[in-house]
Amino acid sequence: MKRIVIFASGSGTNAENLIKFFHNRENASVIQVLTNNPYAKVLERAKKLKVSALSFNKIAFTGTNHVLDILKSSQPDLIVLAGFLWKFPEHILKAFPNKVINIHPALLPKYGGKGMYGMHVHEAIIANNETETGITIHYVNEHYDEGAIIFQSKCAVNMTDSAQDVANKIHELEMEHFPKVVEKLLNE
């Protein structure tokens, strides 16, 4: 059985989608959700779905081995960032080489980097009159949104679309593709 640990910072819709997708699967399951936000809705979602969920602070994540030790004891086959907003520390990346992936709400390398998340991305896409956008699933390295691309899916941006319209389209792509890409990676 392959083991998935999810990191999230907010509402947790992608985390919930992944947990439900892998629920009762014989080949993999989400065993834990970790968050840097003790008030994140993802904690409620995980609890409701009977998945262990913990929050941690910046010191536990970057200044000590506390989060690393939690991960080592969980022995994940894949660490999935699903709306996780902090830069991932090198000491954890080194302990889990090529086992940390992220989903980004744009077609990288466009609209990536520090501060480019959620509505910030969608607003920038509208402001720049882009005609398409999409999602990117990529490996995580020591730089924001610069790891090797695993998968991308595109959607059109219409002239009448608002940033919220773009967010809705991106959310649909995430719900459809993210679990399938995670499953494929686990089966490789």
Side-chain angles (χ1 to χ4, degrees):
M1 171 80 73
K2 301 285 177 119
R3 300 161 66 83
I4 304 164
V5 171
I6 298 174
F7 280 75
S9 294
S11 72
T13 56
N14 271 309
E16 179 178 15
N17 190 37
L18 288 165
I19 292 166
K20 287 179 175 177
F21 183 86
F22 288 103
H23 184 70
N24 291 330
R25 295 271 171 136
E26 292 180 15
N27 61 336
S29 70
V30 175
I31 59 157
Q32 192 165 51
V33 172
L34 298 172
T35 182
N36 60 315
N37 178 357
Y39 307 105
K41 191 165 181 183
V42 71
L43 291 168
E44 285 174 45
R45 290 180 193 269
K47 184 179 177 184
K48 201 178 285 185
L49 295 167
K50 297 178 176 34
V51 172
S52 168
L54 303 168
S55 67
F56 56 86
N57 62 26
K58 193 83 160 180
I59 293 167
F61 191 51
T62 60
T64 69
N65 285 334
H66 185 71
V67 173
L68 176 60
D69 292 342
I70 290 169
L71 287 170
K72 284 181 175 179
S73 69
S74 297
Q75 300 179 330
D77 295 286
L78 195 62
I79 298 168
V80 178
L81 311 189
F84 185 70
L85 301 182
W86 286 357
K87 188 174 176 187
F88 229 66
E90 286 188 49
H91 71 281
I92 296 178
L93 291 171
K94 285 180 181 166
F96 295 93
N98 297 316
K99 289 189 176 184
V100 184
I101 67 167
N102 182 43
I103 188 162
H104 186 76
L107 297 171
L108 293 174
K110 285 181 158 187
Y111 303 103
K114 186 175 172 86
M116 292 305 288
Y117 61 90
M119 289 306 285
H120 299 288
V121 173
H122 310 316
E123 289 163 358
I125 285 164
I126 292 297
N128 290 320
N129 299 311
E130 296 286 353
T131 57
E132 72 176 7
T133 188
I135 61 169
T136 302
I137 300 168
H138 64 93
Y139 286 103
V140 175
N141 66 15
E142 63 277 5
H143 304 288
Y144 282 111
D145 302 324
E146 291 184 15
I149 293 172
I150 300 163
F151 174 86
Q152 290 185 313
S153 181
K154 298 176 182 178
C155 64
V157 178
N158 301 318
M159 285 177 36
T160 57
D161 282 349
S162 68
Q164 187 57 56
D165 293 330
V166 173
N168 295 342
K169 291 178 182 184
I170 294 301
H171 186 71
E172 284 182 30
L173 291 176
E174 290 171 341
M175 295 297 109
E176 178 184 353
H177 296 291
F178 203 17
K180 293 174 190 171
V181 172
V182 169
E183 183 174 51
K184 186 175 181 224
L185 285 172
L186 289 170
N187 290 331
E188 288 180 348

